[in-house]
Amino acid sequence: MSIRVNDLKFSFKQYQKEFEDKALEILRGGYYIMGSELKSFEEEWAKYNKSTHSIGVASGLDAIWMTLKCLGIGEGDEVITQANTFIASVMGITMNNATPVFVEPDEYYGIDANKIEEKITDKTRAIIAVHLYGMPCQMDKITEICQKHNLLLIEDCAQSHGATFMGRRTGTFGSAGCFSFYPTKNLGAFGDGGAVITNDDDLNKSLRIYRNYGSEIRYHNKIVGANSRLDEIQAGFLRVKLSHIEEINRERAVIADNYLNGINNSKIILPKIRNNTSPVWHQFVIRCQEREALMAHLNHKGIDTLIHYPIPPHLSECYNYLGFKNGDFPITEEYADTVLSIPIYNGLTKNSQDIIIESLNGF
Ligand SMILES: *Cc1c(COP(=O)(O)O)cnc(C)c1O
């Protein structure tokens, strides 16, 4: 008996007929890039999030760096984000030659809103809040800080499709919400994909031009842009999944509830839910001082786990040039040393969940 940390076959099988029908429809239709599936998906995704616009792009990383680019962020600008994020949030900043400024996370793994203001300088242009693991950041406070200091707010929603803060979807609090549809995400495609949602008409227009070689009208190139489009086939698959997103997130919430109620071991710290938020459990992340021993124990029971993430961006080799060292962000580093993601995915059986709970409690 072996329980994988994620198994994407199940979410395919859940809606297999719909995916297969959609694939054939698109293949037979003969139109594969920037067609009606993309247009419909963009409308449906904007509507689901109660946002004015949605722009499909090729990946979550593209969503972030192109958004910053279109908002005019570049060399000499500072962008604040949390130190415990996935590397893509930071690469989106540095790809524009802007400087990332890190803030420690709070106990819910989001950027610590109480530690943002001390990092603001006259070069600060924007804050990227990352709703890590599907847990919304402290958006009321962050929005207030952005207004007070006249900063742009961008949300990295690559792990938070459908999550809400005070009833409002993540991605709708500032200038833009950046999403990834990488296959393991809650709304996952069968390949790479991404999108930006925004209420800003100018940003919408800029991104649409930017993602398609800087052209609005074919062969009329206004600016040097990128090739970053969401394919018809992925947009079609995403429409199928989006029609079931509430079920998909509900199933994950049921698994998370089982874990929260069932896991009881003084060596293990469980995730806490921030007031007024509804997380979507992209990951179920526990912490343990004896993480390596716990991993080995679970592995021995046939249970796979993963670490999100073992090396924080400020200690990653690619960011040596920023000059950070061990000890600069003690909370982030402590999290990197103790976090462990246990299996949570659509199709994970109740029996497997019980084995995982029992194994954790037996450690
Ligand atoms: C997955 C992810 C991204 C990047 O998305 P890609 O589609 O893989 O480029 C960005 N930020 C976070 C927090 C992510 O989890």
Side-chain angles (χ1 to χ4, degrees):
M1 170 81 197
S2 135
I3 305 170
R4 295 172 56 183
V5 74
N6 200 344
D7 199 330
L8 297 172
K9 277 195 306 289
F10 294 109
S11 60
F12 168 63
K13 283 185 191 149
Q14 238 160 350
Y15 312 111
Q16 178 164 355
K17 180 80 171 62
E18 289 173 69
F19 289 130
E20 290 176 351
D21 288 350
K22 183 53 87 178
L24 280 178
E25 180 193 331
I26 294 165
L27 290 173
R28 286 171 178 157
Y31 206 97
Y32 307 122
I33 288 183
M34 302 272 269
S36 61
E37 290 294 332
L38 176 62
K39 189 163 183 291
S40 300
F41 173 69
E42 288 178 334
E43 284 165 12
E44 289 158 12
W45 185 232
K47 184 162 179 245
Y48 173 75
N49 289 295
K50 297 193 175 67
S51 172
T52 318
H53 308 284
S54 156
I55 306 99
V57 296
S59 73
L61 174 62
D62 283 4
I64 300 168
W65 80 260
M66 295 198 310
T67 293
L68 295 184
K69 168 77 78 187
C70 290
L71 288 169
I73 289 167
E75 190 151 8
D77 294 333
E78 292 178 359
V79 178
I80 291 175
T81 192
Q82 62 207 62
N84 64 325
T85 187
F86 177 57
I87 201 86
S89 324
V90 185
M91 287 190 176
I93 299 168
T94 58
M95 283 170 75
N96 285 297
N97 299 316
T99 306
V101 173
F102 297 113
V103 171
E104 292 268 43
D106 60 20
E107 60 182 320
Y108 308 98
Y109 304 109
I111 189 168
D112 189 335
N114 295 315
K115 295 179 181 164
I116 293 176
E117 283 192 296
E118 63 200 61
K119 296 292 181 88
I120 295 174
T121 72
D122 55 4
K123 290 181 178 160
T124 311
R125 291 281 319 280
I127 296 175
I128 302 181
V130 187
H131 308 295
L132 203 69
Y133 311 144
M135 321 247 267
C137 294
Q138 186 69 49
M139 294 318 293
D140 49 355
K141 191 122 195 223
I142 295 168
T143 313
E144 198 183 297
I145 293 169
C146 286
Q147 276 161 3
K148 181 171 155 202
H149 297 273
N150 196 23
L151 302 176
L152 297 166
L153 172 58
I154 293 108
E155 293 169 77
D156 181 339
C157 304
Q159 303 190 2
S160 68
H161 314 74
T164 59
F165 180 90
M166 293 182 116
R168 191 163 147 191
R169 295 249 188 259
T170 58
T172 60
F173 288 83
S175 293
C178 300
F179 291 85
S180 163
F181 304 125
Y182 184 77
T184 59
K185 312 289 187 185
N186 290 35
L187 183 66
F190 294 86
D192 277 308
V196 180
I197 58 171
T198 184
N199 294 327
D200 177 340
D201 295 342
D202 292 335
L203 179 60
N204 172 52
K205 194 158 182 233
S206 308
L207 278 168
R208 284 180 188 284
I209 293 170
Y210 202 88
R211 72 171 174 188
N212 194 25
Y213 298 118
S215 70
E216 205 175 4
I217 304 161
R218 193 179 286 187
Y219 308 132
H220 292 251
N221 304 81
K222 287 190 184 175
I223 52 164
V224 178
N227 171 358
S228 180
R229 303 172 297 219
L230 183 63
D231 298 346
E232 285 292 281
I233 195 124
Q234 299 303 342
F237 290 147
L238 287 166
R239 290 184 68 203
V240 170
K241 267 212 181 154
L242 180 54
S243 72
H244 299 290
I245 185 75
E246 293 302 310
E247 276 153 64
I248 289 169
N249 281 339
R250 204 175 315 120
E251 185 184 337
R252 299 176 92 102
V254 170
I255 300 170
D257 264 350
N258 276 342
Y259 287 160
L260 289 171
N261 295 326
I263 301 168
N264 187 359
N265 182 329
S266 58
K267 290 180 173 182
I268 292 170
I269 299 174
L270 291 170
K272 289 186 269 291
I273 301 174
R274 194 190 300 279
N275 278 342
N276 299 316
T277 67
S278 166
V280 290
W281 303 105
H282 174 62
Q283 301 293 350
F284 191 96
V285 176
I286 59 176
R287 292 208 313 277
C288 179
Q289 288 298 330
E290 300 161 45
R291 180 180 65 191
E292 311 313 312
L294 177 59
M295 282 181 90
H297 167 80
L298 293 173
N299 196 265
H300 183 74
K301 306 260 178 196
I303 301 162
D304 274 352
T305 53
L306 273 178
I307 298 166
H308 295 102
Y309 300 91
I311 306 172
H314 73 280
L315 298 177
S316 292
E317 194 179 342
C318 61
Y319 290 127
N320 276 346
Y321 75 90
L322 293 171
F324 292 108
K325 57 181 189 319
N326 234 308
D328 284 344
F329 296 95
I331 298 169
T332 297
E333 291 162 25
E334 146 90 16
Y335 286 179
D337 290 340
T338 56
V339 290
L340 190 66
S341 304
I342 62 174
I344 188 163
Y345 58 84
N346 294 92
L348 181 68
T349 64
K350 180 71 170 59
N351 185 44
S352 294
Q353 295 166 42
D354 291 342
I355 293 170
I356 292 164
I357 292 168
E358 224 171 86
S359 305
L360 285 167
N361 291 344
F363 175 65

